[in-house]
């Protein structure tokens, strides 16, 4: 759920709260205390050509590149309410939702710190954890990032498998492999039966996505994405 974290007051001061930020209207300038010293910092963002932008906080400046996306502005977020800092989230808009990028920056009172970038800021409750959802054709992949304040970085937490949790009907029988490598088969699905897609194995650098599927007889096995989509109906395909 996307919830508002940005209140724009008549004095043009932004107050941050821990929540999802990309639904808020971005701005190009504001005065807000980012380093917790009790004094508002002047923040401005100037978009350039081909997705380039300049972000300034006081006398500190950082150059960014949204790779051709339109840079619409920034909002203020508080990734960790347990510390004194707040962060800036630069919004960039692509042709489709999957092309959007959001760039996070911190300010330590002297210079700007690039924390990292994400496709979305699905959930940020102020505990230093950011959850990011990415649409995968018929399910959302959820990635976790953790803020490392000492390194000023938002670090991804690797997952062996991603939860899927959808059901489909078999329109053409297909085998379930014992493993993602090798040719051994643990079960063959029956036409007209229901299967549950439990999890996905997503290669970090591209390639075939494999799905862990539970057959109507309760057996678990693996199937490639192409075979799963072509051999079933009822998957919530969109986009």
């Amino acid at each position: 759920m996307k919830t508002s974290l940005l209140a724009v007051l008549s004095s043009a001061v932004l107050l941050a709260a821990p929540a999802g930020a990309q639904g808020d209207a971005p701005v190009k300038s504001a005065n807000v205390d980012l380093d917790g010293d009790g004094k508002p910092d002047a923040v401005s963002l100037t978009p350039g050509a081909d997705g380039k932008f300049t972000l300034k906080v006081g006398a500190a400046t950082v150059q960014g590149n949204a790779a051709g996306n339109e840079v619409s502005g920034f909002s203020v977020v508080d990734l960790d309410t347990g510390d004194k800092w707040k962060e800036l989230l630069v919004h960039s808009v692509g042709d489709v939702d999957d092309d959007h990028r959001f760039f996070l920056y911190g300010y330590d009172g002297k210079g700007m710190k690039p924390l990292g970038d994400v496709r979305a800021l699905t959930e940020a409750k102020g505990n230093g954890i950011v959850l990011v959802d990415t649409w995968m054709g018929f399910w959302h992949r959820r990635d976790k990032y953790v803020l490392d304040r000492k390194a000023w970085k938002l670090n991804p937490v690797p997952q062996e498998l991603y939860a899927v949790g959808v059901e489909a009907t078999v329109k053409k029988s297909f085998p379930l492999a014992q493993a993602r490598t090798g040719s051994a088969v643990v079960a063959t699905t029956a036409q007209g039966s229901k299967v549950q897609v439990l999890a996905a194995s997503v290669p970090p650098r591209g390639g075939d996505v494999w799905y862990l599927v539970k057959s109507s007889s309760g057996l678990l096995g693996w199937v490639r994405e192409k075979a799963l989509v072509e051999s079933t109906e009822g998957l919530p395909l969109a986009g």
Side-chain angles (χ1 to χ4, degrees):
M1 176 180 294
K2 296 179 181 178
T3 55
S4 176
L5 59 77
L6 188 62
V8 183
L9 303 182
S10 59
S11 61
V13 176
L14 304 187
L15 300 180
Q22 67 267 30
D24 301 307
V27 297
K28 299 289 177 57
S29 64
N31 293 301
V32 61
D33 182 9
L34 296 175
D35 58 358
D37 65 356
K39 301 175 183 179
D41 302 295
V43 185
S44 66
L45 183 142
T46 305
D50 300 322
K52 296 180 175 62
F53 61 90
T54 301
L55 184 64
K56 293 183 178 181
V57 178
T61 302
V62 66
Q63 305 293 330
N65 190 344
N69 280 5
E70 177 188 354
V71 178
S72 53
F74 68 87
S75 56
V76 180
V77 296
D78 193 350
L79 297 183
D80 188 350
T81 57
D83 62 29
K84 65 180 183 178
W85 291 282
K86 294 180 177 65
E87 291 74 41
L88 297 173
L89 186 72
V90 175
H91 301 228
S92 81
V93 180
D95 293 334
V96 296
D97 287 351
D98 285 348
D99 292 335
H100 300 346
R101 293 304 274 189
F102 298 87
F103 301 85
L104 282 155
Y105 294 90
Y107 177 66
D108 65 0
K110 297 180 180 179
M112 300 291 295
K113 305 287 187 179
L115 302 178
D117 63 281
V118 293
R119 292 189 181 275
L121 203 67
T122 305
E123 185 178 298
K125 295 183 176 180
N127 57 0
I129 295 173
V130 173
L131 300 180
V132 176
D133 286 349
T134 303
W135 182 241
M136 299 294 290
F138 62 90
W139 61 285
H140 279 100
R141 185 184 81 196
R142 172 154 288 194
D143 287 288
K144 178 181 178 180
Y145 294 79
V146 176
L147 178 65
D148 182 341
R149 180 57 73 189
K150 291 183 179 180
W152 290 85
K153 290 294 179 183
L154 193 65
N155 295 321
V157 178
Q159 297 179 71
E160 172 65 20
L161 300 176
Y162 291 90
V164 178
V166 301
E167 187 177 81
T169 301
V170 178
K171 65 179 181 181
K172 182 176 66 175
S173 181
F174 61 91
L176 296 177
Q178 289 182 355
R180 285 161 281 178
T181 58
S183 58
V185 173
V186 68
T188 300
T189 60
Q191 185 176 359
S193 66
K194 300 287 186 181
V195 295
Q196 295 177 357
V197 186
L198 304 179
S201 172
V202 182
R205 295 178 180 83
D208 290 335
V209 177
W210 284 82
Y211 290 92
L212 182 63
V213 172
K214 180 181 178 181
S215 71
S216 59
S217 58
L219 297 174
L220 294 179
W222 293 94
V223 62
R224 294 179 191 268
E225 181 174 68
K226 186 175 187 293
L228 176 66
V229 172
E230 291 180 347
S231 302
T232 61
E233 56 188 5
L235 292 173
L237 295 165

